[in-house]
């Protein structure tokens, strides 16, 4: 592609070519088809950083199996509220993707989403007690009605043979299974969305770095652009800017100078996965099996053995093995962390460093782990795993949010956060998991906060695209069943509603 952006002005500029920018672009194309939009991505294709299928676990995060979304209280009880919220959010994503498929705006859903049951699997008396309490807290809810529970080795072996074969039959284990779980290739979905945008008037610019952002005299934004292949520079003016650059978002947000960016910092966590592409082994496991995180481990380090569908091929993934690196992007610089320090965020960052020594120690220990130790961790979930069947791959960077806290000075926040300028001319997304799975509700939240005047007029269109929008499906069982069947049909997934 030749340099440089063909238009000096755009109504909307999207920085970053991942799932977030692509989702926001798709919304705006549906809601305001006449707006001019330009997208800038520093790599040569969309979805190569955190959205790439091998840079994340591809779990359609619906809180069906992720135990950290429903932790136990001190008295052993389990509060289902966060799990319910995340499941509701994923239902919106399913509805929006179904709309795009039904309208033939993107290609076959088989290219990006497949049915893969979601399981939780725990070992030992205490963990078993917790899993049963979690099951009993979630099962009565509409969105978790299909969940099954078992402590029987034979039953668990029917669900996921590899995790039981070779295991001590006396070992105390428990599992839950939700048949409607999914595996999502967010890289493929991002490319489908970006193709749709490019075919409908959005100017897509790859290999372009956004090197600066400054307030324009008319209240919009001037963006400095660089094309590294030739060293050329240019500028573009935008009425609205979305900073959806993953780990690169913090630096650009800071450069904007908006008051809302003050006090935010980033804590990068790197990771690795084991991957098995032997189809005879992959064929024996159809589940995403999530366990309990180690003491002191960050939530995104929960071990899990997953079925993956990438490029039409089935494979297995195990991990992640967390680590620490100072770059904010997989293709970033080791100077990313030190260069993100500002007078406004140094106190929150120092407070987080002091309060999270155990996390830092855990990450250092993980970095130092030998290959044999990593294989042993895999064998807790797949007792008969052979070292030679698995290759170690590097996952995408996750930059967790550090923010001001009146009591502690600063806190480390796991999750995602929308930052919006007071005048609605700029928005950004910081943080990580559940991220991609909840891209649709996150971008709706961003639209609500950055386009408050337009948003009222968009309500009916949003409802047309997502019939469950504005409704708590868990409190509307008939609509929940209807939409589960409809989205399963559109996305070519297996429906559980027919049996419940």
């Amino acid at each position: 592609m030749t340099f440089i952006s063909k238009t000096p002005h755009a109504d909307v500029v999207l920085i970053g070519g991942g799932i977030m920018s692509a989702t926001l672009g798709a919304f705006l194309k549906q809601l305001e088809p006449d707006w001019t939009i330009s997208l800038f991505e520093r790599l040569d294709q969309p979805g190569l950083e955190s959205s790439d299928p091998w840079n994340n676990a591809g779990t359609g995060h619906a809180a069906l199996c992720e135990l950290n979304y429903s932790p136990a209280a001190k008295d052993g009880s389990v509060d289902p509220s966060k799990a319910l919220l995340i499941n509701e959010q994923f239902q919106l994503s399913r509805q929006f993707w179904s709309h795009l498929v039904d309208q033939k705006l993107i290609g076959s859903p088989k290219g990006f989403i497949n049915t893969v049951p979601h399981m939780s699997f725990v070992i030992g008396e205490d963990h078993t007690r917790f899993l049963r309490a979690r099951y009993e807290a979630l099962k009565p809810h509409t969105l978790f009605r299909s969940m099954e529970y078992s402590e029987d080795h034979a039953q668990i072996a029917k669900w996921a043979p590899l995790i039981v074969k070779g295991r001590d039959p006396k070992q105390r284990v428990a599992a839950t299974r939700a048949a409607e779980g999914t595996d999502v290739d967010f890289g493929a979905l991002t490319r489908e969305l970006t193709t749709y945008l490019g075919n409908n008037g959005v100017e897509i610019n790859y290999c372009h770095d956004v090197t600066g952002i400054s307030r324009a005299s008319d209240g919009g934004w001037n963006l400095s652009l660089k094309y590294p292949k030739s060293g050329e520079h240019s500028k573009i003016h935008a009425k609205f800017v979305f900073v959806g650059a993953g780990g690169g978002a913090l630096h650009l947000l800071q450069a904007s100078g908006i008051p809302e960016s003050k006090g935010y910092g980033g804590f990068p966590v790197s990771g690795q996965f084991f991957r098995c592409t032997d189809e005879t082994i992959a064929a024996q496991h159809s589940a995403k099996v999530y366990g309990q995180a180690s003491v002191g481990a960050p939530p995104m380090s929960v071990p899990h053995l997953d079925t993956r569908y990438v490029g039409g091929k089935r494979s297995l993934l195990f991990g992640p093995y967390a680590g620490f690196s100072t770059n904010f992007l997989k293709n970033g610089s080791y100077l990313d962390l030190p260069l993100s320090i500002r007078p406004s965020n140094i106190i929150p960052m120092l407070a987080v460093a002091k309060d999270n020594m155990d996390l830092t120690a855990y990450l250092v220990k993980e970095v130092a782990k030998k290959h044999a130790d990593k294989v042993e961790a895999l064998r807790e979930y797949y007792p008969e795993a052979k070292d030679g069947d698995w290759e170690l791959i590097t996952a995408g960077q996750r930059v967790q949010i550090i923010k001001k806290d009146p009591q502690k000075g600063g806190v480390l926040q796991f999750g995602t956060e929308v930052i919006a300028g007071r005048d609605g001319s700029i928005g950004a997304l910081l943080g990580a998991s559940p991220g991609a799975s909840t891209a649709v509700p996150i971008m709706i939240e961003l639209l609500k906060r950055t386009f408050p005047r337009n948003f009222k007029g968009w309500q009916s269109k949003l409802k047309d695209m997502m019939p469950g929008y504005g409704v708590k499906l868990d409190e509307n069982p008939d609509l929940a069943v209807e939409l589960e069947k409809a989205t399963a049909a559109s996305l070519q997934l297996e429906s559980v509603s027919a049996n419940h």
Side-chain angles (χ1 to χ4, degrees):
M1 184 174 285
T2 57
F3 193 71
I4 200 160
S5 175
K6 295 179 276 299
T7 52
H9 302 280
D11 291 321
V12 174
V13 164
L14 306 171
I15 304 175
I19 188 65
M20 294 298 172
S21 288
T23 300
L24 181 58
F27 267 126
L28 289 172
K29 260 293 141 202
Q30 293 284 292
L31 297 168
E32 296 288 348
D34 296 332
W35 285 8
T36 56
I37 304 175
S38 292
L39 181 150
F40 295 93
E41 165 57 46
R42 61 198 291 271
L43 302 178
D44 60 4
Q45 280 184 59
L48 291 182
E49 270 283 349
S50 298
S51 305
D52 182 85
W54 297 122
N55 284 343
N56 63 71
T59 305
H61 283 287
L64 297 167
C65 59
E66 308 92 327
L67 302 178
N68 53 300
Y69 294 144
S70 48
K74 285 183 180 172
D75 65 358
S77 64
V78 172
D79 178 0
S81 56
K82 187 173 182 185
L84 286 167
L85 172 65
I86 289 171
N87 195 301
E88 293 273 9
Q89 291 178 324
F90 186 66
Q91 300 307 321
L92 271 188
S93 293
R94 273 180 66 135
Q95 289 165 51
F96 185 58
W97 300 338
S98 297
H99 164 76
L100 295 172
V101 169
D102 291 344
Q103 298 298 312
K104 298 189 167 44
L105 302 176
I106 61 175
S108 168
K110 279 288 174 207
F112 69 86
I113 189 166
N114 287 275
T115 298
V116 172
H118 284 192
M119 290 178 61
S120 303
F121 177 73
V122 297
I123 300 166
E125 193 72 43
D126 290 346
H127 290 327
T128 296
R129 196 178 304 116
F130 159 68
L131 191 64
R132 177 174 275 284
R134 178 182 184 270
Y135 168 75
E136 288 169 353
L138 291 172
K139 177 71 176 176
H141 291 274
T142 301
L143 295 175
F144 292 86
R145 67 196 181 285
S146 73
M147 187 178 278
E148 301 170 89
Y149 175 87
S150 181
E151 297 176 19
D152 177 48
H153 281 237
Q155 178 58 62
I156 297 168
K158 285 179 186 171
W159 292 341
L162 296 186
I163 66 173
V164 175
K165 203 175 169 192
R167 190 173 295 280
D168 178 354
K170 295 191 183 72
Q171 189 178 53
R172 187 77 191 272
V173 297
T176 57
R177 180 178 185 266
E180 71 268 34
T182 52
D183 172 70
V184 186
D185 179 343
F186 287 107
L189 176 57
T190 300
R191 286 184 273 283
E192 286 286 347
L193 292 170
T194 310
T195 299
Y196 157 64
L197 294 177
N199 290 340
N200 287 274
V202 174
E203 185 189 280
I204 310 285
N205 302 278
Y206 299 127
C207 302
H208 283 60
D209 268 338
V210 177
T211 57
I213 178 168
S214 59
R215 181 71 81 172
S217 57
D218 65 354
W221 296 93
N222 292 323
L223 278 67
S224 301
L225 306 170
K226 183 182 178 186
Y227 189 60
K229 288 185 178 177
S230 66
E232 290 176 79
H233 292 262
S234 186
K235 287 187 182 293
I236 186 170
H237 173 273
K239 291 179 187 172
F240 172 79
V241 174
F242 172 62
V243 187
L250 180 61
H251 284 138
L252 288 167
L253 191 60
Q254 289 173 332
S256 75
I258 61 169
E260 292 79 7
S261 70
K262 303 287 191 255
Y264 281 95
F267 183 86
V269 178
S270 61
Q272 294 177 314
F273 286 109
F274 268 135
R275 177 172 65 189
C276 172
T277 53
D278 184 324
E279 292 181 27
T280 58
I281 297 171
Q284 298 173 58
H285 184 80
S286 180
K288 287 183 180 284
V289 180
Y290 273 59
Q292 283 281 43
S294 309
V295 175
M300 85 295 295
S301 298
V302 173
H304 47 98
L305 179 64
D306 293 3
T307 298
R308 297 301 318 269
Y309 288 93
V310 178
K313 290 189 176 172
R314 184 159 148 180
S315 52
L316 299 183
L317 194 74
F318 178 80
Y321 299 96
F324 181 74
S325 166
T326 54
N327 48 323
F328 281 179
L329 290 163
K330 192 174 178 179
N331 296 287
S333 160
Y334 289 117
L335 296 174
D336 287 343
L337 177 58
L339 290 177
S340 72
I341 298 169
R342 298 283 187 280
S344 68
N345 69 12
I346 192 159
I347 289 173
M349 290 181 81
L350 288 172
V352 164
K354 177 178 70 70
D355 293 343
N356 289 273
M357 296 299 284
D358 57 339
L359 173 59
T360 307
Y362 168 80
L363 294 174
V364 169
K365 189 176 81 178
E366 284 288 293
V367 170
K369 245 186 193 174
K370 294 187 174 126
H371 185 82
D373 295 328
K374 291 178 178 174
V375 174
E376 275 311 303
L378 165 61
R379 287 186 183 131
E380 282 186 35
Y381 288 81
Y382 174 14
E384 295 188 349
K386 293 185 177 65
D387 190 349
D389 294 332
W390 299 79
E391 60 175 320
L392 202 58
I393 61 171
T394 301
Q397 284 288 98
R398 297 288 178 266
V399 181
Q400 305 305 325
I401 302 162
I402 292 173
K403 59 190 291 191
K404 282 180 180 174
D405 180 85
Q407 272 81 43
K408 298 182 175 180
V411 290
L412 184 63
Q413 180 176 300
F414 296 100
T416 46
E417 185 152 339
V418 170
I419 315 291
R422 199 167 300 136
D423 65 352
S425 67
I426 186 168
L429 187 74
L430 299 179
S433 188
S437 300
T438 53
V440 168
I442 287 170
M443 289 302 102
I444 293 171
E445 170 68 14
L446 183 111
L447 289 169
K448 189 187 293 183
R449 289 176 56 184
T450 53
F451 295 98
R453 288 180 189 168
N454 307 69
F455 197 78
K456 209 170 188 180
W458 291 341
Q459 298 289 302
S460 61
K461 179 66 174 169
L462 290 170
K463 191 82 175 166
D464 288 345
M465 294 191 283
M466 298 165 292
Y469 171 68
V471 179
K472 281 193 174 174
L473 293 181
D474 199 60
E475 295 169 7
N476 292 269
D478 291 345
L479 181 61
V481 168
E482 181 190 326
L483 289 176
E484 196 275 337
K485 283 182 184 172
T487 56
S490 297
L491 298 173
Q492 298 175 30
L493 302 171
E494 290 172 31
S495 172
V496 295
S497 293
N499 305 318
H500 290 80

